[in-house]
Amino acid sequence: MMIDGQAVAGRAMFDAIEKVVLRALERRQEKDLDLLWYLWSGPRSPLFGKDRITTFERDFIEDEHTHHETKDPYFALIHEVGFCEKVLREFGVDPSRGLIVNGHVPVKIEKGESPLKRSGKAITIDGAFSEAYGDHGFTLVLESDRTLLAKHHHFESVESAIRDGVDIVPSVDVVRTWDKSRKMADTERGQELRCQVDLLERLIEAYRNNDLRQIM
C-alpha cells in the first residue's frame, strides 16, 4: 500500500498507517483525511476488509441482494496454519502460542460458522446482540492458565430480568490451556512495569549517592 509516497507492507504498513492517523487528528491535512476515509470503507483497506459497505442499502432497501458485502481473502486465509503463523511472526508473536483475534466480526452460527477457525490460531468474536446475526455474542476471556470463549445467549428484556430473575448465563469453551500459569512479568505490560521500577531504583540510588540533589 502506498503511504506517504512509499510502498509498505506487513507490520511496516500498519506502523505507517498509525502515523498518518495520529497526524490527521492533529493537522487535519486533506491527504491524511482522505486516507482516514479510505481506511474506513475502501475496498482495499487493510482495516475494513470488504469490497464495499452497504449500511445505506440495509437501512433503505428491502432487497437483501443489495446488502451483500464480499470479504477480502484475509478471512479465508486465517483458516490456514501457515498464513496465521506468518502474521504472528510479523508482529513479533511466538507462532506456537499466539492467537489472532478479530473483534467486531459477527459469527453466523446458523450458517455453519465458528468463532475459532480451522487453523486453531485465529478467532473472530463480537460481543453484541444482533437479531440479524442470531441474537448472540461472544467474549474472549484470558486467564493466567487458559483462554476461554464465552457464548452469550438471547436476552429478552430488562423487565423480564427484574420480574422473573432471567439472566444471561454464557456457555463457555476452553480455547487454550497452559502448563504453566502466565504472570504479569510474562506480558508486554509487565516489561513496561519492570522498566519503570528500574528507573525508580536508579533515581533512589542517585539521591542516596548525592549524584542528584533535591531542590528545596
Side-chain angles (χ1 to χ4, degrees):
M1 188 173 186
M2 295 296 297
I3 302 177
D4 284 340
Q6 292 187 337
V8 285
R11 181 168 184 172
M13 177 184 65
F14 287 98
D15 290 340
I17 287 173
E18 183 176 22
K19 290 180 181 178
V20 174
V21 170
L22 293 174
R23 194 171 66 209
L25 294 174
E26 293 181 359
R27 304 178 190 175
R28 302 185 67 81
Q29 295 178 353
E30 186 172 353
K31 66 182 184 67
D32 293 341
L33 294 174
D34 285 345
L35 178 60
L36 205 58
W37 176 268
Y38 186 84
L39 290 172
W40 174 59
S41 59
R44 297 291 297 274
S45 166
L47 305 186
F48 179 51
K50 300 177 184 177
D51 63 336
R52 65 193 188 115
I53 187 169
T54 61
T55 303
F56 178 88
E57 289 83 352
R58 291 175 185 275
D59 287 344
F60 296 105
I61 302 176
E62 186 175 356
D63 184 2
E64 294 187 358
H65 290 92
T66 66
H67 305 171
H68 182 71
E69 299 170 343
T70 302
K71 294 180 179 179
D72 69 18
Y74 170 83
F75 291 97
L77 289 169
I78 55 176
H79 289 283
E80 306 298 329
V81 174
F83 174 79
C84 292
E85 291 183 345
K86 183 178 180 180
V87 170
L88 291 167
R89 282 193 294 268
E90 178 74 9
F91 285 86
V93 179
D94 181 355
S96 66
R97 295 173 61 89
L99 182 68
I100 299 172
V101 182
N102 289 112
H104 301 285
V105 181
V107 181
K108 300 177 182 178
I109 295 180
E110 67 282 356
K111 293 186 177 181
E113 292 185 5
S114 169
L116 185 64
K117 306 312 171 187
R118 290 193 304 271
S119 62
K121 296 179 180 291
I123 196 165
T124 55
I125 56 174
D126 193 325
F129 290 85
S130 171
E131 185 177 352
Y133 296 114
D135 202 15
H136 54 68
F138 291 92
T139 301
L140 199 64
V141 182
L142 304 181
E143 295 184 349
S144 62
D145 60 345
R146 58 184 181 168
T147 300
L148 309 170
L149 181 66
K151 178 184 176 182
H152 308 290
H153 302 280
H154 172 72
F155 179 70
E156 185 174 343
S157 67
V158 174
E159 289 76 14
S160 63
I162 296 173
R163 184 183 63 249
D164 304 323
V166 176
D167 198 359
I168 303 175
V169 180
S171 56
V172 179
D173 293 317
V174 177
V175 177
R176 297 278 185 86
T177 58
W178 312 106
D179 296 333
K180 181 181 178 182
S181 295
R182 294 170 294 174
K183 301 178 180 179
M184 179 64 77
D186 301 323
T187 67
E188 290 183 356
R189 178 58 178 157
Q191 294 174 11
E192 293 174 0
L193 292 173
R194 183 68 257 174
C195 288
Q196 293 177 16
V197 171
D198 290 342
L199 289 172
L200 289 172
E201 290 177 343
R202 289 168 59 186
L203 183 61
I204 293 171
E205 189 67 21
Y207 276 120
R208 286 174 176 169
N209 296 333
N210 206 31
D211 295 330
L212 185 65
R213 296 188 178 185
Q214 273 187 298
I215 299 175
M216 302 301 292

